[in-house]
Amino acid sequence: MSKRFTWLKKFAWWLALGLVFCLTPVQAAYLNGQSYVPLADWARVNGLKCYWLERGDKIVATNRTTQLVFDKDSRMVGVNGINVALSFPVASDHGALLIAQLDINTAIRPLLFPARPADARRITTICLDPGHGGKDTGNHTFWHSEKTYTLALALELRDQLQKAGFNVILTRSKDAYVELPERPAMANRRGADLFVSLHFNATPTGKNEVEGPQTYCITPVGASSTDAQGEGANFGPTAANRVEQRSLLLAYQVQRSLVKNLGANDRGVRRARYWVLRDATMPAILIEGGYMTHPLESKKIYNAAYRHQMAQAVLKGILAYQKLTSAAVPTPLPATNRPADG
Ligand SMILES: [Zn+2]
């Protein structure tokens, strides 16, 4: 057998293999150290219709109540018009978009199909955490300190929550310094059902064009946080990860309400392992209510009427979360075992 024939045989074999590879539909892949699945396949299996908004770059998955918009290479997904941070960017393979399985489990599914928690109960006590205080001023622009406005917002929100029938605990009610670990510890000790930390933002360089609220909840295990100082993926589980799906749902409902009711720019639902979030054993969020470095938004933050509106928006978000978590269809139980409706 000639050498040329052997070479031809090899060439034909590689050609055949190449054709098979090209004709094979996109399969799950391993990228960024993660298992990725084709978005279109995942959507179909879960009863969502898929179509391209921009072929190869932007895909929409939708059903009767939800619209998800995914962008190639982006870590933000639009969930009914609100940005939600993914842990890993949407990838592309042979013209199809793929999503990390971890993001389906920790960012998409908990919002699309919120599960009624096994220990579902009415929310009675909410712990409010006005950021900073005392020697810790927080962000400081001109003569304005963040600590002043986080406390003012917390007191306003306390009044509105109490009017709505909730018990409220404050981690500080005056200009006092409270250690970070002590804040969630207080919520844990006093059996709070939710923990809400209140902050206002500033760009590190004082750049003044960034504006809008953003709401944080705990980073999923195995992922890096969204913020620039985010710790790595090997941080390990925290106490807060046990209720991370409910924290995400709370963060989403509050962010959505802030954006809708304030007409604000949406900076999205983000993930971080902040001290005050990672030790909370109940659903916990951290709201950055806007930018003190933005010329217009800062004026609103310093205005009591605007903070009243912001507190109303947070309250509405909490009520929406309560409705979702208590009204979700319960897992059917045997008739004899079914608890009385309460
Ligand atoms: Zn702060």
Side-chain angles (χ1 to χ4, degrees):
M1 202 176 287
S2 72
K3 266 188 183 168
R4 178 189 264 191
F5 183 71
T6 314
W7 185 87
L8 270 174
K9 236 169 73 175
K10 269 189 190 163
F11 178 76
W13 190 82
W14 279 112
L15 189 70
L17 188 73
L19 273 174
V20 168
F21 190 68
C22 289
L23 294 174
T24 305
V26 179
Q27 298 290 323
Y30 198 71
L31 305 159
N32 303 319
Q34 294 295 311
S35 294
Y36 270 70
V37 294
L39 259 168
D41 290 356
W42 172 81
R44 195 173 43 248
V45 168
N46 286 278
L48 287 94
K49 288 201 176 87
C50 243
Y51 62 89
W52 288 107
L53 219 51
E54 291 164 28
R55 182 158 286 280
D57 281 327
K58 194 187 274 283
I59 204 168
V60 177
T62 183
N63 65 15
R64 215 162 38 83
T65 55
T66 310
Q67 189 191 59
L68 306 172
V69 182
F70 297 91
D71 281 290
K72 181 180 153 188
D73 300 330
S74 173
R75 275 183 72 175
M76 279 289 182
V77 52
V79 181
N80 285 348
I82 297 297
N83 290 316
V84 175
L86 299 171
S87 294
F88 297 93
V90 168
S92 100
D93 184 28
H94 292 76
L97 295 191
L98 292 90
I99 183 168
Q101 184 66 48
L102 184 139
D103 280 316
I104 287 176
N105 298 344
T106 62
I108 305 294
R109 200 180 290 282
L111 294 179
L112 232 61
F113 311 111
R116 182 190 166 93
D119 59 343
R121 56 176 184 164
R122 244 182 81 76
I123 298 161
T124 55
T125 305
I126 297 172
C127 182
L128 297 181
D129 174 43
H132 313 282
K135 65 182 181 186
D136 172 14
T137 59
N139 291 312
H140 195 81
T141 56
F142 302 105
W143 51 89
H144 297 286
S145 291
E146 184 188 352
K147 66 173 185 176
T148 310
Y149 300 101
T150 58
L151 181 58
L153 176 63
L155 296 177
E156 174 67 49
L157 181 54
R158 175 195 62 186
D159 293 349
Q160 293 194 27
L161 286 168
Q162 285 175 339
K163 270 190 206 140
F166 296 104
N167 297 327
V168 178
I169 301 166
L170 288 163
T171 57
R172 69 178 178 97
S173 54
K174 56 181 195 298
D175 183 16
Y177 178 73
V178 182
E179 295 281 354
L180 291 179
E182 174 53 19
R183 296 167 186 248
M186 201 182 293
N188 293 345
R189 273 199 308 273
R190 298 185 57 182
D193 299 302
L194 300 179
F195 179 86
V196 179
S197 190
L198 301 167
H199 289 253
F200 291 102
N201 230 330
T203 54
T205 54
K207 269 199 336 192
N208 61 11
E209 66 268 29
V210 189
E211 64 173 316
Q214 57 198 43
T215 307
Y216 284 90
C217 59
I218 194 72
T219 312
V221 178
S224 295
S225 298
T226 317
D227 60 323
Q229 296 92 42
E231 331 68 26
N234 52 3
F235 191 88
T238 67
N241 285 114
R242 270 177 258 157
V243 289
E244 68 177 37
Q245 300 208 343
R246 279 188 279 162
S247 295
L248 174 67
L249 193 59
L250 177 63
Y252 176 82
Q253 292 301 334
V254 168
Q255 178 68 13
R256 184 164 192 260
S257 182
L258 285 168
V259 169
K260 256 178 50 182
N261 290 295
L262 299 176
N265 179 49
D266 175 24
R267 297 270 305 157
V269 173
R270 293 160 182 255
R271 316 297 284 248
R273 294 185 181 95
Y274 292 134
W275 255 114
V276 294
L277 293 182
R278 65 187 190 224
D279 282 349
T281 55
M282 68 292 300
I285 59 172
L286 185 147
I287 300 168
E288 292 279 7
Y291 279 78
M292 292 169 65
T293 36
H294 188 274
L296 294 179
E297 196 169 44
S298 57
K299 286 205 181 81
K300 292 181 187 170
I301 292 166
Y302 310 147
N303 179 289
Y306 184 76
R307 290 195 304 271
H308 176 83
Q309 273 184 296
M310 185 176 283
Q312 270 183 330
V314 176
L315 169 64
K316 282 181 186 169
I318 291 173
L319 293 175
Y321 165 84
Q322 185 183 40
K323 200 171 164 195
L324 270 175
T325 49
S326 59
V329 181
T331 317
L333 293 171
T336 47
N337 239 351
R338 196 167 290 159
D341 288 342

